[in-house]
Amino acid sequence: MRYMLFFFTYGFQILSSIISALGIPDGGYAGWITSFQTLSKNKLLGVLGIINSLFWVGNTLIAVYLIMQIHKTYRSTGQSMEKASGEFAASAGSSRNFGQAVLRSL
């Protein structure tokens, strides 16, 4: 179950890094798109945004490399994602707190 939660949350971390590297306008990120838009208005801020974008790309590449290495190690122990998701479903279904939370939400 721990591995399944790890891969799930780390996947969101990688997605967040990709969005940060892109820099969607009005999204609060200084990524590629906003950096090049700012470059035409203010050179210094544009260059700082490009440097920030490079760091986000580096962070994303390192995160993808690490999750690939962790997945390779995980698979070498004889585990699989199917087993992990089965364990997650079994433990979440048998958890009394989880069941009570689901009932309260209905």
Side-chain angles (χ1 to χ4, degrees), residues 21-102:
L22 285 177
I24 299 168
D26 298 325
Y29 302 106
W32 292 110
I33 298 171
T34 55
S35 297
F36 285 117
Q37 288 176 346
T38 307
L39 196 60
S40 64
K41 299 173 190 168
N42 188 332
K43 301 284 187 214
L44 178 63
L45 289 179
V47 170
L48 289 174
I50 290 171
I51 292 169
N52 184 43
S53 302
L54 289 171
F55 281 120
W56 276 115
V57 168
N59 181 39
T60 304
L61 293 175
I62 290 170
V64 168
Y65 172 76
L66 288 174
I67 201 165
M68 289 171 57
Q69 293 299 314
I70 292 167
H71 186 262
K72 186 171 78 172
T73 303
Y74 180 70
R75 294 291 294 224
S76 70
T77 62
Q79 299 293 325
S80 68
M81 292 305 282
E82 291 80 22
K83 286 182 185 178
S85 62
E87 290 173 5
F88 177 74
S91 65
S94 65
S95 173
R96 188 179 64 170
N97 293 334
F98 183 78
Q100 289 175 351
V102 170

